[in-house]
Amino acid sequence: MTRPMFDRRSVIAGLLLSTALGSLPAFAQAPAPYDVTPELIEAAKKEGTVTFYTATDVAVSEKVGSAFEAKYPGIKVKVERSGSERVFQRLSQEYGSSIYNADVVETSDAVHFVLFKRNGWLAQAVPAEVAKDWPKEARDPDGYYAAYRAHLSVIGYNTKQVKPEDAPKSHADLLNPKWRGRIVKAHPGYSGTVMTGTDVLSQALGWDFFEKLGKQRIMQVQSSTEPPKKLAQGERSIEADGNEYNMFMLKESGVPVEIVYATEGTPIAIGHAGMLKNAPHPNAAKLFYSFLYDQETQQLASDFGGLRSFHPRVKEKETRTPLSKIKLLYSDPVKLEPNIEMIKKKYEEYFGT
């Protein structure tokens, strides 16, 4: 029997997200789960395209898009990839101007889906696979969204430039003067993953940690997909944060990088997805949304993309450290939401914009 990749602790973030609903208006009961039928496929083919706004790395998103196109010939997937905060800003601007370009949206910031739902931008849709296999803590009880993936924000290093015995073992180790001018990190004003990480680390370590880290002559980048690539290119020796899945992809392709799971704990980010209420291609959106949660798609995202899956039958590569062996740090999106602007402002005091 295949064990699920997430134990009970690892869906706490989803559970916390559901508690936010107490402060939201009443919503309609979740609709009945839907199956992919010949009629749905035919209607989607008539529309011919589906637009996917996503914060997942472009190589992974396009791989998923290509798999969809191969399974459903005649429907083109338009992948629009950006950092979570940029995806949120773009969708907010478009819906604020009654412009409807996106069919399906996905970000790594759980707060976004609280707001998307509150604003009435999401359609109620529950793929049969989600209803059958997803833990209730990892899907919206009203049927507006579900957890598409999860990943960690990890420390890492270039093994050609840093010996394992010399590598940092903790977040505190990043403050060692020997790493001055050798660290790269992403920005919470751009990346939902790093916003989550900044939130939990500011609570665990205090803002003094970030103040001191800001004096380490950090190379500041935007997306959490970028620090692993800077390590791979040898531009920096250490990443203070970066997507675990990008590190998996690089390491497994032979690039000399290594992951560190910090002794104080490693932030986990839950990436939700939802179908938009004013999707210009509603049938293709419904088909693609269901496809994201198929076992085959989830296995592809795990194997190729290094993403952690909520699907109980997805098998993770044996070379990867299971979540049960990692100390995880969870962000409460209910408490995070009113603090986002404060976190951005505080962060920029130490690292710049």
Side-chain angles (χ1 to χ4, degrees):
M1 179 178 177
T2 303
R3 295 180 63 188
M5 294 164 63
F6 283 82
D7 58 21
R8 184 176 296 276
R9 290 184 307 140
S10 57
V11 295
I12 290 177
L15 178 60
L16 287 170
L17 179 57
S18 70
T19 66
L21 302 178
S23 61
L24 299 179
F27 290 93
Q29 183 179 358
Y34 70 90
D35 292 301
V36 172
T37 63
E39 292 77 17
L40 176 60
I41 296 172
E42 187 60 31
K45 286 184 175 181
K46 289 181 180 178
E47 292 171 351
T49 189
V50 61
T51 299
F52 183 34
Y53 283 12
T54 178
T56 300
D57 185 81
V58 66
V60 182
S61 299
E62 289 185 347
K63 187 80 169 180
V64 169
S66 295
F68 179 85
E69 292 173 351
K71 186 171 183 178
Y72 301 108
I75 308 174
K76 180 174 177 56
V77 179
K78 185 178 180 182
V79 173
E80 296 283 351
R81 193 272 159 191
S82 192
S84 288
E85 296 305 312
R86 294 293 187 269
V87 172
F88 176 77
Q89 290 167 10
R90 179 175 180 179
L91 198 65
S92 297
Q93 290 168 355
E94 290 179 351
Y95 266 65
S97 302
S98 299
I99 297 172
Y100 308 118
N101 292 324
D103 293 299
V104 177
V105 62
E106 180 269 342
T107 81
S108 59
D109 191 334
V111 172
H112 292 165
F113 283 80
V114 174
L115 299 176
F116 291 157
K117 178 180 178 179
R118 178 185 297 161
N119 291 341
W121 297 348
L122 299 174
Q124 287 181 295
V126 182
E129 198 103 5
V130 169
K132 177 183 176 184
D133 291 316
W134 256 240
K136 65 179 181 179
E137 298 90 349
R139 51 191 170 99
D140 175 47
D142 299 317
Y144 285 93
Y145 54 85
Y148 165 58
R149 45 98 172 188
H151 63 276
L152 309 184
S153 176
V154 298
I155 294 172
Y157 63 97
N158 182 307
T159 59
K160 284 189 174 181
Q161 299 178 354
V162 180
K163 296 179 180 179
E165 59 269 27
D166 296 331
K169 306 297 188 297
S170 66
H171 297 287
D173 287 347
L174 299 174
L175 305 181
N176 191 311
K178 70 180 180 180
W179 303 128
R180 187 174 173 83
R182 301 179 66 187
I183 301 175
V184 59
K185 80 177 303 299
H187 198 295
Y190 183 89
S191 167
T193 300
V194 178
M195 173 59 73
T196 296
T198 304
D199 177 42
V200 295
L201 291 178
S202 66
Q203 295 178 50
L205 306 177
W207 280 105
D208 285 350
F209 165 75
F210 287 100
E211 182 178 10
K212 293 174 182 176
L213 187 61
K215 296 176 181 178
Q216 286 285 67
R217 292 195 310 187
I218 299 291
M219 173 189 278
Q220 180 71 71
V221 294
Q222 294 184 326
S223 172
S224 59
T225 66
E226 294 181 53
K229 297 170 186 178
K230 296 298 182 182
L231 291 190
Q233 294 161 3
E235 293 186 41
R236 284 295 186 273
S237 302
I238 303 290
E239 67 171 31
D241 50 36
N243 279 333
E244 179 194 43
Y245 68 88
N246 285 100
M247 292 291 283
F248 281 149
M249 293 167 66
L250 291 168
K251 183 179 177 181
E252 291 166 6
S253 66
V255 176
V257 297
E258 188 57 73
I259 295 170
V260 174
Y261 299 106
T263 55
E264 305 100 332
T266 299
I268 184 170
I270 309 296
H272 291 84
M275 195 175 90
L276 288 157
K277 184 177 182 179
N278 293 308
H281 313 101
N283 294 294
K286 198 171 184 179
L287 185 62
F288 184 75
Y289 184 53
S290 175
F291 177 81
L292 290 179
Y293 299 98
D294 285 351
Q295 181 179 347
E296 293 80 8
T297 308
Q298 289 284 307
Q299 190 68 60
L300 171 66
S302 175
D303 290 345
F304 176 77
L307 298 174
R308 307 278 187 166
S309 175
F310 283 90
H311 199 299
R313 291 184 296 282
V314 167
K315 297 180 180 180
E316 198 166 39
K317 291 183 178 180
E318 294 181 357
T319 54
R320 298 173 183 169
T321 302
L323 290 183
S324 60
K325 294 185 178 181
I326 303 170
K327 181 180 179 180
L328 300 174
L329 299 176
Y330 297 93
S331 173
D332 181 343
V334 182
K335 295 179 180 178
L336 172 58
E337 181 192 349
N339 293 326
I340 286 177
E341 291 307 315
M342 179 276 292
I343 290 173
K344 290 179 183 178
K345 183 177 180 180
K346 194 79 172 174
Y347 182 90
E348 290 174 358
E349 288 180 20
Y350 306 134
F351 298 92
T353 58

